Amino acid sequence: MGMRHKTNRHYLGVDFGGTNFKFGVVDSEFNLKESEIMPLGKLKDPKAAVLFIKKLVSDLSKKYRLKSLGFGFPGPVDFENGYIHYLVNLKNWKNIYWKNILEKELKIPVFLDNDVNAAALTEYYLGNGRGCLNMMMVALGTGVGGGLILSGKIYRGKNNVTAEIGHVPLSMKGAKCNCGGIGCLESYIGNKKLLSHANRTLYKHPESVLTAVRKKEGNISLEDITHAARRGDQFAVNFWEDTAEKLGQALVGVVNLLNIEKMVIGGGIAGAGRFLFNPLRKFVRVRAMDIQGKDVKIVKAKFQDKAGIIGAAIIAKYALERRSF
Amino acid sequence: MGMRHKTNRHYLGVDFGGTNFKFGVVDSEFNLKESEIMPLGKLKDPKAAVLFIKKLVSDLSKKYRLKSLGFGFPGPVDFENGYIHYLVNLKNWKNIYWKNILEKELKIPVFLDNDVNAAALTEYYLGNGRGCLNMMMVALGTGVGGGLILSGKIYRGKNNVTAEIGHVPLSMKGAKCNCGGIGCLESYIGNKKLLSHANRTLYKHPESVLTAVRKKEGNISLEDITHAARRGDQFAVNFWEDTAEKLGQALVGVVNLLNIEKMVIGGGIAGAGRFLFNPLRKFVRVRAMDIQGKDVKIVKAKFQDKAGIIGAAIIAKYALERRSF
């Protein structure tokens, strides 16, 4: 078995998150052969990260014939030149020629891209974004990110900082966002904002089952709210409807601008399932322009925490093959 | 001279507006040789339009060697199949195989596209949108339309209904728009909306020079407001600043999503010049994300009422040459 692996081509994908380092090896059909997730720890330092990756590649090379490496990074990175402008939440990662540095050490081709672009590719080629030419991936978490596939290719704009749906303004007045904007989508439906909103409004709803949950546990989670919605709790149902309308408003803008065919929603709050998706689909259908509203399908992401790894490996393979993607 | 024209290749561009029929002949460098504008009149009927165009092409062919015809239409049209879904404000234009019908009559290749796509091409190839790969055209009038050039080509989405910046929502509550949306940009800064807003708020500003203008003329125009701003009238200056912020909010969303390099603003209210453009540039620079805000240049359209004609002729030439655009 080790021998078989050695003869086939493999690709290493790394999802370099703000808190975790995830990596995985895929074969040329993008089957995930193995993967691992670990806290970033000392890898917050770029030099330590290079040493660690060198050791990792050396170890994996005993089992796999690694043809190239792909990285997904959380922040603005220059795909063409393999350069990292900066990473969100990782202050030592600034102005780094990552591709050059790593290729010198490893003697294997290295490619990098934005992490949500990587996840978008996974959904587009292997997940619920298949079968169209124009797709948007929306990743809901503490931050709200996006990836755009337009006319069958990752859309990169001038500097590969695109699809920032978290920073589409929903209102002329509103909270000031870290990005400099006002009333950004992220400042309404980022995980922490949602929870603080839920906690604030729950005080007016002692009848909700979540009031008892909070009394018992000390706080509530987004999963608690979904659980309560499943039990028919009106506060919880309304909470997800309200969230769907905020997300929906940003999607209406995107849909009217881009006549997108598939909107793939992933990340934490996508776990709310029909409580989020039903009102979201209805909102976009009613509010978007006629043709655009009919053309778009809003679907849940197929891949969860592996999307970044696999997408990074897709980038590794396609970039190596000089295939445009 | 007639002879010279006959030997060179020429292209007919038609800007088929909701109220006017505009046409022009360009040579292969897109120099406009002649053009004309006339009220639509009986051409509101598609059959009459076909007959008229047949006569027009026959007349023009005495002077020019017409290689192909291009049309810009105000509404969702299918560029690939030469099909008109429907036209805004022209109720008889529905589900028409325009390309087939006309080619049968004329024996000359016919192409059609959305009118703002046509105008966008003119700015991109010949106007103030030159020198970039990612450009948006914004056409400000009674309606607020757009055209997107992404990665050097018209972006068409699934059904060629894209760049509808007039229907990006600015707020969660707001006026209901004809499109089905709520709080659309167009419902704030469409020409008529702007004027009724100005008239409403002017009552609270007897000190404005516009109060006297209204008393004398019976009403005020957008040009009057620009004129008053030039004279330092604070009400007028504030009016354009407020308009710039509304337009700016929609642009911030587009810029954050698409990392656009040039935003070309044309149409009526672009005539307000620096009173619109200065606060608009400032707003986008402050509110957009850092890289995207730095990457975008907001410029006034170079071509005014000829952009549609010339763009239609560009489409005629490039589509004939099977050049991708």
Side-chain angles (χ1 to χ4, degrees), chain A residues 148 150 254-260, chain B residues 148 150 155 157 162-163 258:
Chain A
L148 270 172
L150 300 181
V254 173
V255 161
N256 285 349
L257 285 166
L258 297 177
N259 193 192
I260 288 281
Chain B
L148 270 171
L150 300 182
Y155 172 72
T162 55
L258 297 177

Side-chain angles (χ1 to χ4, degrees), chain A residues 125-189:
Chain A
Y125 284 109
L126 309 168
N128 291 334
R130 278 175 302 180
C132 70
L133 283 174
N134 305 294
M135 184 202 100
M136 183 165 199
M137 169 92 207
V138 181
L140 303 166
T142 311
V144 174
L148 270 172
I149 313 264
L150 300 181
S151 308
K153 291 175 193 171
I154 288 270
Y155 173 71
R156 301 183 186 280
K158 180 167 168 62
N159 273 312
N160 204 25
V161 278
T162 55
E164 290 287 4
I165 189 161
H167 303 284
V168 166
L170 296 197
S171 121
M172 291 189 246
K173 278 149 189 148
K176 189 153 169 52
C177 180
N178 292 332
C179 80
I182 300 269
C184 292
L185 174 66
E186 185 172 296
S187 70
Y188 291 97
I189 69 157

Side-chain angles (χ1 to χ4, degrees), chain A residues 170 185 189 242-255 279-281 283-284 287 298, chain B residues 169:
Chain A
L170 296 197
L185 174 66
I189 69 157
D242 182 59
T243 305
E245 290 185 5
K246 282 162 183 158
L247 175 55
Q249 193 189 323
L251 296 193
V252 164
V254 173
V255 161
L280 179 61
R281 288 183 184 119
F283 185 92
V284 173
R287 294 281 186 100
I298 299 175

